[in-house]
Amino acid sequence: MLIRYSSKKLEKKLEDPRLLKKYYSNDYNKISNRLSELKVANNLSEIPECPPPRRHKLSGNLQGYWGIDYSKNDRIIIRPMGKFDINDVSSIVEIEIVDLEDYH
């Protein structure tokens, strides 16, 4: 899957293992695992809906975005990019990582 980032700063934090560990020390392994899963997936349907990654659509202010769990309350917020059918998750082959946060 093609992965983009919402900012250069976020890209540096998530792509450099040293910075990832610095900014997300408590969840370093979990975030690394989720990012690895996203990188090897051919499309979004290959990320399971059941835990631990638990891919799910978001609503409210984050409508049109998806969340992927990396801890009990924290999520990787992603947005589908390019051409895709919103009703067919397997058509989503390009995403943008928007943020890592607890949106609850």
Side-chain angles (χ1 to χ4, degrees), residues 47-58:
I47 306 299
E49 291 180 319
C50 55
R54 199 176 74 85
R55 164 187 49 89
H56 55 284
K57 282 185 183 180
L58 303 178

Side-chain angles (χ1 to χ4, degrees), residues 39-79:
K39 288 176 184 174
V40 299
N42 293 315
N43 57 61
L44 196 56
S45 70
E46 293 181 7
I47 306 299
E49 291 180 319
C50 55
R54 199 176 74 85
R55 164 187 49 89
H56 55 284
K57 282 185 183 180
L58 303 178
S59 57
N61 293 339
L62 295 171
Q63 187 168 355
Y65 293 79
W66 294 74
I68 297 174
D69 296 5
Y70 67 86
S71 74
K72 183 177 178 183
N73 291 321
D74 298 306
R75 312 288 186 259
I76 298 174
I77 310 299
I78 62 171
R79 178 175 63 175

Side-chain angles (χ1 to χ4, degrees), residues 81-100:
M81 304 290 290
K83 292 183 179 183
F84 61 90
D85 177 2
I86 194 65
N87 298 315
D88 181 12
V89 182
S90 65
S91 69
I92 301 173
V93 295
E94 181 179 353
I95 60 168
E96 177 184 57
I97 296 179
V98 177
D99 204 0
L100 281 74

Side-chain angles (χ1 to χ4, degrees), residues 24-45:
Y24 303 102
S25 59
N26 292 339
D27 295 313
Y28 170 78
N29 289 328
K30 294 175 187 175
I31 295 170
S32 293
N33 289 342
R34 295 295 93 70
L35 292 173
S36 293
E37 290 168 358
L38 286 169
K39 288 176 184 174
V40 299
N42 293 315
N43 57 61
L44 196 56
S45 70

